[in-house]
């Protein structure tokens, strides 16, 4: 493991996904899952998310777009929270999902709207 | 067909994909393809692309992200041109594709880089 | 919004998915989801489902086929109900899913059989 | 290999895809590809396509729908020919692809229209 | 149905997925699901899994790889158990999923790790 | 860039994909593609492929399985060569693709057989 890259990645990951989410992930790590956590933290969060060229808000928008297409609900919900933490408005999230209705198809968009609404409700309840 | 929506869509489609591309599409339309052209022009270009809430540059970024995930090379190349027409820099396109390497996987990203490079080369040759 | 197209779509949507399903969707609409509901009702139900050329039963068959391939369980279950409402027999639904076992692969077909069986059980219990 | 199932499958395959296509496949078979040809001929053509419950035209419609979603252009083109051989009209093929524009998304539908048009042109030229 | 192929397939299926799993499937079979069970038992378990050329452990490894990519969680969990029954170590399963992080993308790998961990926990609790 | 990880990755990449393939990739690198080449070389080849736990032959088998499912023809062909370079026999490659016919579906398997046969022919011609 590259300790510098990991630490840089962990800092970004905390800022985007929130301390609660990351602390829970770290506490739940086992021998089985530790390596994938390190892989993701270094190469995704430490490398890609620290690159210049796109703002964090732009990275959140394209992530929501990609993960809607990829049909991965757990990650999608984490990145809805991430987008809000990065300052993306609910209105902009809605527009990304509207656009997905044409490009990814109706069933993909309807599912993404359901998942995003669940995140919004959970966050409203946490306040 | 909703003539107003179609005309509004055709105008956006020309601005984004370029007159050459759209003229070629219209000239090639047959009885078999006319309805899908009208469907796309009205609902995608006339409705979604005319919505406020995201800039055209942001719409281009999320389109490249979605279409990379969806593995549709013909549309991908059209939207690389569209992104450049909308003022997105090659550097930003590169960053979207770098980000896709983690979320969509390496083979998806490598293919997207190949396709985008082909578009850049073709455009450089057209000058 | 195109009111005529929306109304035409809402009527078809009620006939296919049932009043209970549609009333629940309308009652649950929020500022976040209203636009996607209008998009779907106009362009999918109002436009495509009102086109001549395929019967509603044929549209149901191809929808089950596409949504099995697309791996979208929520929409799949809604369209199993829709197919039955359109007069497609359980036997024909079974044949579509059998055919999907070869073309979409075994895991896709097995999942579709599970979901369809859940719908049948729920409907039998409703009687 | 189950000879009866294979022979039954080969007969259906010839009727649907045409003798020219099947003769070319058989002539091109090598030690590497013989087993997959037998697998497909027995289990897909010999078993599934010989089941009652759906007409061959209905099986063609759902195949076009599934293969559009699955993004497999070579098989898609073979099954456009197959659909026409089964008596499905070009108009009905168009309607399946229109419907895919909403459910599978615009890029999937546009690609399917391009591929189907290529088949139509090739067939018109063969006359 | 080919009785010999079915019986051969049922024997392999019991060895790989376990008697408990298979007995439950058989007991749950209905008129709706019986044909797909026979299709899968004959052609997948009876034919493919009985072919020489790959060991059962190798077949398990490639199945986990494919089903991770295909995003089918129910089948994935069944084949995690199958892999362990075939003598694949948890460590090797972990390596397949690590490799998927690059090729299938991070969200696919993270989901596969979650599902595999659930299977491991359930199996540890069964002891 | 982590120079050690890159160099370790480049060595594995050369062993698996061959010097000709890698030299061509390096010679073709531009400002646009250099970063993705470094990302892939470090994290895929330098990290994942150097992990213990699976042999290179096993890694090749699961790669062919995943990339068949992912529908990425360019990478698939590169990894057919890679598998052969790693000592996987054509017979074993055939078995992976046979297995994919059930799990990924017939169109996916037929395409993979076509692509693998193209690689074999090209390699036979190179001798």
């Amino acid at each position: 493991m590259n300790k510098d890259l990991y630490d840089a990645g962990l800092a970004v990951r905390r800022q985007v996904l929130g301390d609660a989410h990351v602390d829970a992930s770290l506490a739940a790590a086992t021998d089985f899952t530790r390596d994938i956590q390190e892989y993701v933290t270094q190469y995704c969060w430490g490398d890609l998310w620290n690159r210049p060229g796109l703002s964090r808000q732009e990275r959140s928008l394209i992530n929501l777009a990609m993960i809607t297409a990829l049909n991965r609900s757990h990650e999608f919900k984490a990145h809805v929270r991430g987008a809000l933490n990065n300052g993306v408005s609910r209105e902009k999230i809605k527009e990304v999902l509207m656009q997905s209705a044409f490009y990814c198809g109706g069933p993909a968009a309807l599912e993404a709207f359901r998942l995003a609404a669940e995140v919004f409700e959970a966050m409203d309840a946490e306040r």
Side-chain angles (χ1 to χ4, degrees), chain A residues 6-27:
Chain A
Y6 179 83
D7 287 345
L10 195 60
V12 180
R13 197 177 158 200
R14 284 185 175 285
Q15 288 160 10
V16 176
L17 297 186
D19 284 331
H21 180 97
V22 175
D23 286 339
S25 287
L26 295 177

Side-chain angles (χ1 to χ4, degrees), chain A residues 7-85:
Chain A
D7 287 345
L10 195 60
V12 180
R13 197 177 158 200
R14 284 185 175 285
Q15 288 160 10
V16 176
L17 297 186
D19 284 331
H21 180 97
V22 175
D23 286 339
S25 287
L26 295 177
T30 64
D31 284 351
F32 182 63
T33 60
R34 196 161 288 116
D35 288 1
I36 189 67
Q37 291 293 326
E38 290 178 7
Y39 179 96
V40 172
T41 303
Q42 289 176 274
Y43 304 152
C44 173
W45 297 106
D47 183 333
L48 295 175
W49 277 81
N50 267 323
R51 292 173 63 90
L54 289 177
S55 69
R56 284 200 188 166
Q57 293 200 10
E58 287 169 326
R59 292 192 184 278
S60 277
L61 295 178
I62 64 174
N63 264 18
L64 293 175
M66 288 190 286
I67 303 174
T68 294
L70 294 168
N71 197 11
R72 298 285 179 180
S73 57
H74 190 280
E75 286 301 295
F76 181 79
K77 291 176 81 168
H79 281 282
V80 170
R81 275 184 189 262
L84 296 166
N85 288 341

